[in-house]
Amino acid sequence: MTPISCRQRELTIGELSERSGVPTSALRFYEREGLIHSRRTSGNQRRFGRDMLRRIAFVRVSQRVGIPLAMIRDALGLLPEGRTPTREDWARLSQCWHDDLTSRITQLERLRDNLTDCIGCGCLSIDRCLLANPDDVLSQRGSGPQRVFTE
Amino acid sequence: MTPISCRQRELTIGELSERSGVPTSALRFYEREGLIHSRRTSGNQRRFGRDMLRRIAFVRVSQRVGIPLAMIRDALGLLPEGRTPTREDWARLSQCWHDDLTSRITQLERLRDNLTDCIGCGCLSIDRCLLANPDDVLSQRGSGPQRVFTE
DNA sequence: GCTTGACTTGAACCATTGTTTAAGTTCGAT
DNA sequence: ATCGAACTTAAACAATGGTTCAAGTCAAGC
């Protein structure tokens, strides 16, 4: 009943790095941060399952969207444990980002149009117009809660 | 010939902070970074001209757009020295951000739609579809050139 | 079995965007 | 003249997202 031998070979960190395009230093960092996992050989080296490739892909895409790692980790925590995630699992996760992206796009458009208005109308009140209602468009890059999802 | 006394009073850092909503610590930091300037009293205290309010407004708006301080400083460097910037000066600066915003919005939309496609088509290739052509949508938040302007 | 490349760790470092703290000085009102 | 609030500085600390390094260990081909 056990499958013949189509056994997916595990990947070393170097192989994972090459296939994912992510430096080994970053991969170790991701593991420390709980974004990916590995088993260890008897000699204490990491061996990654192929599914980690997809996790890494998800991480990088999410980062491009501007989502901090901690939040990505939380999202990955929603994946089922024990079994390999299905397409539906990934779709559910990605749907979050899709909604978030739409919301960000809307906010950026608002900001852009406000900017145009302020310049166009000659009110010269960049400060009043644009700072009065801080839409919290993009990360306050430093500390503080990120509030990426529209709460 | 000199104006009667409608002389705009200069602002202390506390006043500037209150009016701009930016903590004094951030204002000192901005000055260190060359984003704003002040003269000093005989007792070494800062005194800010009113035009700094507008600069700060511009800084905060730009930050919300996701532009790093170094780039904002460069942009502010385009303002005329000697005279107080006119509305046209500010409009010229803001126009950069407007164009940049439009470009970011486009990229985010592309990313969002790719994401949808990948999930919808069942190709399961989040990695291939989305990582193959890194549109460089948002900041790589760490080091490295930010390439915000569409070059 | 030896060599070499790939792997291991922790710690230090980098950039960005600030805040906090300590110790002391100045301003403005009375 | 005095008092308290507001100001000054440098330096340390914080969070994010890693990279680099030193010193040593493992794995695999010959």
Side-chain angles (χ1 to χ4, degrees), chain B residues 24-25 38 60 97 112 118 129:
Chain B
T24 59
S25 61
S38 64
R60 300 303 276 212
W97 282 196
R112 178 189 58 181
C118 279
C129 287

Side-chain angles (χ1 to χ4, degrees), chain A residues 12-114:
Chain A
T12 68
I13 195 168
E15 291 165 336
L16 190 66
S17 167
E18 201 167 347
R19 288 194 189 283
S20 66
V22 177
T24 59
S25 61
L27 293 178
R28 292 199 189 90
F29 175 72
Y30 289 166
E31 192 182 46
R32 271 207 303 288
E33 294 295 308
L35 293 158
I36 56 178
H37 311 290
S38 64
R39 71 168 191 88
R40 296 303 181 105
T41 65
S42 59
N44 197 35
Q45 292 194 357
R46 291 172 180 83
R47 289 299 180 271
F48 295 92
R50 301 242 154 199
D51 47 335
M52 289 305 136
L53 276 171
R54 184 167 297 279
R55 279 177 93 97
I56 293 165
F58 184 78
V59 169
R60 301 304 276 213
V61 169
S62 304
Q63 282 194 295
R64 294 224 335 263
V65 177
I67 293 163
L69 289 189
M71 204 162 293
I72 301 173
R73 179 182 46 219
D74 293 347
L76 286 171
L78 299 176
L79 288 177
E81 308 193 45
R83 66 176 170 80
T84 301
T86 65
R87 187 205 307 169
E88 279 71 31
D89 294 323
W90 287 112
R92 199 158 23 80
L93 248 62
S94 302
Q95 184 62 35
C96 296
W97 284 192
H98 180 274
D99 295 347
D100 185 58
L101 272 174
T102 299
S103 138
R104 278 156 186 267
I105 288 166
T106 305
Q107 290 184 320
L108 278 181
E109 282 168 344
R110 263 221 306 274
L111 180 61
R112 178 189 58 182
D113 298 343
N114 278 345

Side-chain angles (χ1 to χ4, degrees), chain B residues 93-106:
Chain B
L93 247 61
S94 301
Q95 185 61 37
C96 296
W97 282 196
H98 180 275
D99 295 347
D100 185 59
L101 271 175
T102 300
S103 138
R104 277 156 186 267
I105 288 165
T106 305

